[in-house]
Amino acid sequence: MIRRVVGFLALFVVVAAAGGAQEPPAPPPAVPDAVQRELQAVQDLLARATAEFEGPQQSRSIVILDEMITRLETLRREGTLTPRGREVLAQAYELRGRAYYNIGLQEKAADSFRSLIQLQPQYALSKEKVSPKIVDYFTPVKKALVGYLAVSSKPAGAKVTLNGEFLSLTDFFPLEVLAGDYRVEIARDGYRTETRTVSIAPRATETLEVPLTRTLASAFFVTEPAGVEIWIDGARAATTAGALAPDLVLAARDKGLDPARASARTEVGGLSLGSHVVELRKKCHEVVRKTVDLSEAKDYEIEPVKMEESLASLSLKSEPPGARIYLDGEAMGVTPKELEGVCSGKHRVEVKHASGKFLQDVVLERNESLTLDCPIRPSLAFLGVVAESAGGERVVADVQEALVKNLSKLTTLNFLPGPKETVDRILDADRLTRKGLLPGAGTDPDLIRKVTEKLAAALEVQGFLLAVLPEERLQRTAALQLLAAGNTVADRFDVAFNEAASYLRFLAAVDQKAAVYHSWTGIITVDTLLHEGVPILRLAAGGPGSQAGLLPGEVIDAAEGRPIKQTADLLALVESKKPKDRLALHVKGASARAVEVVLGQTPQEIPLNDPALLYNKVMMDLRQQVEGYPGTEAAAFARLNLAVCAMHFGDFAAAHEHLLKARTELPQRPGISQGTALYYLGLALERLGYKKEAVEAYRAAAAAKEATLFDNDGPAVAPLAARRAGP
């Protein structure tokens, strides 16, 4: 039986297609969930009814078909019956009519067939699938209800509607319609809509021939090359395509076009009379603008247009180098790179590195050569706002908008929204919520570390920001939680989310970079009341002071022509200068003399506890050094400082991992070196409960006689390590 129904539907489609062109299908409207459920239920009933209809007691199908028809007619009256629902309703009427006929109830069969014809006047039973007796019975029932209508128009292609319902496109042969009175509308874009009234009697044929009066103009375009967008009054109307027709070759050549590259004649119809602004646009070409005057309702041939190429060049370099370049999302190599033949216009430049990225929108003019320095900055993903009370929930959207507006002013980080779907998927995979990433949630630190690393890889970021709205009687505060990828404890910073000034301290704290190097003399002095100046206690081996010829015991009494009375005076002067600057000293010893010291640079440890620092931001900056300059001393010193930051948070397991790498990456020399990493490795192992391994690390550190802590002039590692190692 299912094959019969399908066969009938195929026949119906063929008949309709033969009668006239079909209206282009419009996008189907959204179907409410309740209607979808009802249609699915009816579809299930159809399967049951078909099985009964094909079975030995066909009459049992009538009860099921009655229920189907009642439910579908209800949807039809409510105006929610879908096209598929109409097809099922027609099937139900056909099956019920045939079932009634087969049990001898011809009048009831006729009623079902009449309802079917009123639903779909062009419905026909398949002579191959349905009993000839039923077909012969159905035919006069249909003829008593149906007449015929044929409509033609000049020009053809007009849309014909009967009482507001689409019938076909002109011209078409007589189509079956229900007998009755109709208001017929014949409409075509660019022409006045014509209306006719017609009465159609059963079995009769009515014919309408309708001339259409043109009201709008059409413009025809030819361009070189094809693929040019045609914009009329700010709206895209068409795109040129195809190849030029032979009869237009000479005209195109006369206008300077290459016929082999020119487009086919492209129509833009339905244009109102009057002046129109035309823009011709194609990527990598100059925009052509012109005004056309369409004073009459006729066809206009617009002068053929040859589009001029519009290209520029872009030079990109980054720090660190070797970053991947993406122009409007397309991979273009790595920095440094010269990009030639770049289309003029607006572009999105992305330069991505494992340590961060650079983002900027640029506008290139024709023949412009633009050079971009692309400083790689860490990226911070905003994970959204979490409320701890019902009052907070009501303002989440407003708070999020205010936060994004104010935090987009960050200058040392790329502030990016974290895609909710991606973030939710990664968190859900580990059964973790956003609040589970924060202190006090009781989440296993190793899980936080794993999840933040996964998020960082998926989002291409180095850290995260989550805002928490605490429970307050008056909701004013947002607790900003900053968490570096791979870290386990966030930094908290409270802001009044509706006060722009409240964000300034946070912006300043985030944009502050921790000092990891400073200018260095290698001169260690001591304050005393016995001298006018500061005596030199010792000199770092191979340091700038030693290289300048200074000697222990000499007294520095002036620098840069200023008197030096205490060590702080000398340090302040050194801090005001940069590495490789020269520092003029006056010293007294066996004799007074002037000495010029060329300043060097010393690595500097991050303070273990500095209230002014956001340690998670510091960790993001340090990871940029590690990932941006692998294998360098700068990366090794950054690794050591990552361990110090981890110890700040009490995460000695993470510190241990960093120090294992730092002890092999740091140089073996006086000052901050492998001995420094070994000493801190001993501290981490001791805090983790590995006393034997800690002693081994301390003993190795004690052997590094010239290693120091804090910076190259700091306290010696060896005696400190020896004391902690014990006998």
Side-chain angles (χ1 to χ4, degrees):
M1 182 57 202
I2 292 176
R3 288 195 301 272
R4 294 180 191 169
V5 173
V6 171
F8 155 71
L9 288 175
L11 178 62
F12 170 67
V13 171
V14 170
V15 170
Q22 300 301 299
E23 182 181 27
V31 180
D33 291 343
V35 174
Q36 289 182 353
R37 289 193 296 270
E38 182 71 353
L39 290 173
Q40 183 57 54
V42 171
Q43 192 74 41
D44 295 341
L45 288 174
L46 177 61
R48 288 175 51 200
T50 301
E52 292 289 357
F53 187 88
E54 295 285 358
Q57 292 184 297
Q58 193 178 75
S59 60
R60 290 182 178 179
S61 66
I62 294 175
V63 175
I64 303 173
L65 293 166
D66 283 344
E67 182 181 351
M68 288 176 58
I69 290 169
T70 299
R71 295 170 75 163
L72 290 173
E73 285 290 1
T74 299
L75 295 179
R76 185 183 174 197
R77 287 193 300 273
E78 294 171 350
T80 57
L81 187 62
T82 64
R84 173 58 186 156
R86 291 178 68 90
E87 292 177 9
V88 174
L89 180 57
Q91 293 177 48
Y93 277 128
E94 178 190 335
L95 293 177
R96 191 175 71 174
R98 290 166 59 188
Y100 274 132
Y101 184 90
N102 287 335
I103 62 174
L105 298 178
Q106 278 83 359
E107 279 304 315
K108 286 186 174 292
D111 288 341
S112 288
F113 289 148
R114 277 190 285 269
S115 296
L116 171 58
I117 299 307
Q118 288 167 353
L119 177 69
Q120 291 186 3
Q122 298 173 7
Y123 203 98
L125 297 184
S126 170
K127 294 181 180 180
E128 291 77 17
K129 303 295 183 180
V130 180
S131 164
K133 290 183 178 180
I134 296 178
V135 173
D136 291 343
Y137 185 78
F138 174 82
T139 300
V141 173
K142 178 177 179 179
K143 287 183 176 180
L145 297 173
V146 170
Y148 300 88
L149 176 65
V151 181
S152 61
S153 66
K154 291 186 178 180
K159 177 181 175 181
V160 178
T161 59
L162 300 185
N163 294 344
E165 291 192 11
F166 174 75
L167 178 62
S168 187
L169 299 178
T170 61
D171 295 341
F172 55 82
F173 294 113
L175 293 180
E176 295 169 316
V177 296
L178 285 176
D181 297 330
Y182 292 98
R183 183 174 184 271
V184 183
E185 280 193 358
I186 305 94
R188 190 180 192 274
D189 288 344
Y191 293 80
R192 187 174 63 220
T193 298
E194 299 291 339
T195 303
R196 302 287 189 272
T197 57
V198 63
S199 293
I200 300 175
R203 298 182 175 85
T205 299
E206 297 293 334
T207 300
L208 295 178
E209 296 180 357
V210 183
L212 299 177
T213 302
R214 188 167 185 173
T215 59
L216 300 176
S218 289
F220 291 84
F221 295 83
V222 173
T223 64
E224 180 197 336
V228 175
E229 294 179 350
I230 304 170
W231 290 67
I232 307 290
D233 299 329
R236 187 169 67 178
T239 301
T240 62
L244 192 65
D247 60 328
L248 298 176
V249 167
L250 291 178
R253 187 176 287 124
D254 288 343
K255 296 298 182 181
L257 277 69
D258 179 357
R261 299 183 67 241
S263 71
R265 183 169 171 263
T266 302
E267 179 182 7
V268 177
L271 297 174
S272 60
L273 304 187
S275 294
H276 295 274
V277 177
V278 176
E279 286 190 354
L280 302 179
R281 305 179 188 176
K282 184 173 176 62
K283 186 177 180 181
C284 299
H285 291 75
E286 287 284 288
V287 175
V288 174
R289 297 179 178 86
K290 60 173 64 182
T291 300
V292 296
D293 184 29
L294 311 179
S295 57
E296 299 179 42
K298 65 177 186 178
D299 292 342
Y300 288 83
E301 298 292 338
I302 307 302
E303 184 175 320
V305 174
K306 181 175 182 177
M307 306 291 288
E308 298 293 336
E309 278 194 329
S310 182
L311 302 175
S313 63
L314 188 59
S315 176
L316 301 172
K317 55 184 178 179
S318 69
E319 193 59 45
R324 305 184 310 279
I325 300 169
Y326 294 88
L327 191 65
D328 301 324
E330 182 180 353
M332 304 296 288
V334 298
T335 58
K337 181 83 172 181
E338 299 282 341
L339 300 178
E340 300 291 343
V342 179
C343 298
S344 61
K346 186 175 181 180
H347 296 280
R348 178 74 162 177
V349 177
E350 294 182 83
V351 182
K352 298 181 180 181
H353 194 277
S355 61
K357 66 178 69 173
F358 169 84
L359 304 171
Q360 186 170 319
D361 291 325
V362 299
V363 177
L364 298 176
E365 301 295 335
R366 184 182 184 187
N367 298 326
E368 180 181 7
S369 294
L370 178 65
T371 298
L372 276 184
D373 288 322
C374 307
I376 301 299
R377 293 189 288 263
S379 296
L380 183 68
F382 181 45
L383 301 185
V385 180
V386 175
E388 294 185 334
S389 67
E393 289 286 356
R394 289 192 291 271
V395 297
V396 161
D398 293 338
V399 173
Q400 181 148 327
E401 182 179 351
L403 289 172
V404 170
K405 177 182 177 181
N406 286 280
L407 297 180
S408 296
K409 300 172 185 176
L410 287 167
T411 59
T412 59
L413 295 175
N414 301 307
F415 183 71
L416 309 171
K420 184 177 184 302
E421 183 176 325
T422 303
V423 174
D424 288 346
R425 174 174 50 80
I426 293 173
L427 292 176
D428 290 346
D430 286 288
R431 299 180 180 179
L432 198 61
T433 65
R434 284 167 174 76
K435 286 186 67 175
L437 298 172
L438 302 180
T443 307
D444 180 2
D446 287 336
L447 178 59
I448 294 177
R449 184 178 293 110
K450 182 184 80 169
V451 169
T452 57
E453 292 285 9
K454 286 167 63 176
L455 281 169
L459 305 181
E460 296 183 326
V461 299
Q462 287 68 45
F464 312 94
L465 187 73
L466 180 63
V468 178
L469 302 182
E471 187 170 354
E472 296 179 298
R473 296 182 67 181
L474 294 176
Q475 204 73 51
R476 297 175 176 173
T477 306
L480 303 181
Q481 304 278 352
L482 179 65
L483 182 63
N487 195 26
T488 59
V489 182
D491 284 306
R492 172 172 172 162
F493 201 107
D494 289 355
V495 297
F497 54 76
N498 278 329
E499 299 175 13
S502 179
Y503 293 89
L504 297 179
R505 289 187 305 111
F506 178 72
L507 295 175
V510 172
D511 285 337
Q512 175 185 348
K513 286 210 169 196
V516 291
Y517 288 93
H518 65 76
S519 298
W520 177 54
T521 62
I523 305 169
I524 297 89
T525 61
V526 62
D527 292 337
T528 174
L529 298 177
L530 302 177
H531 301 86
E532 290 290 331
V534 290
I536 298 174
L537 182 64
R538 62 183 174 87
L539 294 161
S546 176
Q547 292 179 12
L550 291 170
L551 299 172
E554 289 187 304
V555 177
I556 302 173
D557 62 356
E560 298 292 307
R562 305 175 193 173
I564 298 297
K565 296 184 178 181
Q566 54 187 0
T567 298
D569 298 335
L570 180 61
L571 293 177
L573 193 57
V574 172
E575 287 178 4
S576 69
K577 292 182 173 290
K578 297 179 293 186
K580 298 185 180 180
D581 284 353
R582 296 178 181 274
L583 179 67
L585 300 178
H586 186 270
V587 300
K588 294 184 295 185
S591 62
R593 62 190 180 113
V595 178
E596 189 174 71
V597 178
V598 178
L599 297 180
Q601 177 177 268
T602 175
Q604 176 178 323
E605 290 178 20
I606 299 295
L608 192 59
N609 289 292
D610 184 347
L613 290 180
L614 289 174
Y615 278 82
N616 277 280
K617 167 56 166 51
V618 174
M619 295 178 82
M620 292 173 67
D621 291 336
L622 293 171
R623 284 188 62 157
Q624 182 185 21
Q625 290 292 311
V626 170
E627 295 170 352
Y629 303 92
T632 64
E633 283 191 8
F637 290 131
R639 179 86 69 185
L640 177 69
N641 271 321
L642 277 171
V644 174
C645 290
M647 288 191 285
H648 164 82
F649 289 112
D651 189 352
F652 290 94
H656 174 260
E657 294 299 318
H658 290 305
L659 291 165
L660 285 176
K661 296 176 181 178
R663 71 175 178 180
T664 59
E665 295 171 352
L666 285 168
Q668 285 183 314
R669 66 184 184 203
I672 300 290
S673 58
Q674 289 186 5
T676 313
L678 286 166
Y679 177 74
Y680 286 127
L681 181 61
L683 287 177
L685 288 166
E686 187 176 343
R687 292 297 297 269
L688 291 169
Y690 295 92
K691 293 186 178 180
K692 179 182 176 182
E693 291 83 353
V695 169
E696 292 174 356
Y698 286 137
R699 287 176 178 167
K705 300 300 182 183
E706 295 183 302
T708 60
L709 301 178
F710 307 153
D711 62 17
N712 285 348
D713 293 336
V717 165
L720 295 172
R723 281 198 296 272
R724 299 195 76 93

